[in-house]
Amino acid sequence: MQKYKVIIDTDPGVDDAACLIYTFFDKLLDIKLITTVKGNVDAPTATRNLLHLLDKFNLDYPVAMGANHAFNKDRETPTAQDIHSVDGLGGYIPPKQTKRQPMEKDAVTAMYEVISQGDGDIIPIVLGPHTNNALLLEKYPEIAKKIPQTILIGASPYGMPGLP
């Protein structure tokens, strides 16, 4: 059975938390890195939520915190805390401290390194806003040649030119 090498970029609110739990146990996926981004909640809360899930399931994947702003930095982007709750997990309040910690490097650097070390076979799966992927391609445009495909599942219209 072929396994797909992936980077998961996420903003763990309720929806991404459910998706991540399925993803953690999918035998077709070889998770190389998980990155977080501001979306449902701010990036530090998203990172804490992700690390909490890893603690709950006793899993150890490398985690890097990403952008806490929209790609268009001139615009303030709201979160979806009115839907997902302040902590992002629908009223469930995870511990403030986790056993695991994110890498010291930022998500864009970590993504670049993982993709660079691959054989053109690392697939980014973007569950939330596309900010980290956009920043990766802006900072390292040549890396696009090593990305066979990108799976875009989530998005955020905030911060996009032309939208209020």
Side-chain angles (χ1 to χ4, degrees):
M1 162 177 28
Q2 178 186 355
K3 290 186 97 169
Y4 297 93
K5 298 175 188 174
V6 299
I7 293 173
I8 300 171
D9 188 53
T10 182
D11 61 334
V14 175
D15 54 345
D16 286 20
C19 183
L20 285 165
I21 292 167
Y22 282 108
T23 304
F24 292 157
F25 299 100
D26 188 324
K27 292 180 179 13
L28 292 176
L29 299 180
D30 178 7
I31 300 170
K32 298 297 184 186
L33 173 68
I34 307 175
T35 57
T36 59
V37 66
K38 179 181 180 181
N40 291 321
V41 291
D42 62 32
T45 303
T47 304
R48 190 270 325 266
N49 289 349
L50 171 59
L51 294 169
H52 173 65
L53 288 172
L54 294 176
D55 285 351
K56 277 293 215 194
F57 293 100
N58 198 29
L59 298 169
D60 195 21
Y61 293 112
V63 171
M65 185 166 61
N68 198 30
H69 55 78
F71 182 69
N72 178 351
K73 296 177 192 169
D74 296 336
R75 301 195 52 150
E76 178 57 32
T77 56
T79 63
Q81 289 175 308
D82 56 325
I83 297 168
H84 294 268
S85 80
V86 173
D87 287 299
L89 297 176
Y92 170 74
I93 302 171
K96 296 294 180 202
Q97 299 297 316
T98 58
K99 295 177 199 166
R100 289 153 181 79
Q101 297 300 312
M103 310 170 131
E104 298 229 354
K105 61 185 83 169
D106 66 278
V108 170
T109 302
M111 291 167 76
Y112 176 76
E113 290 175 1
V114 168
I115 294 167
S116 293
Q117 294 166 4
D119 294 323
D121 56 353
I122 310 286
I123 301 168
I125 299 175
V126 183
L127 302 179
H130 305 168
T131 312
N132 290 336
N133 266 357
L135 293 170
L136 171 70
L137 294 171
E138 179 182 60
K139 186 171 183 178
Y140 305 104
E142 73 283 358
I143 200 68
K145 294 176 185 161
K146 289 201 76 172
I147 300 173
Q149 66 179 316
T150 301
I151 299 171
L152 305 173
I153 298 172
S156 173
Y158 301 106
M160 293 177 64
L163 291 177

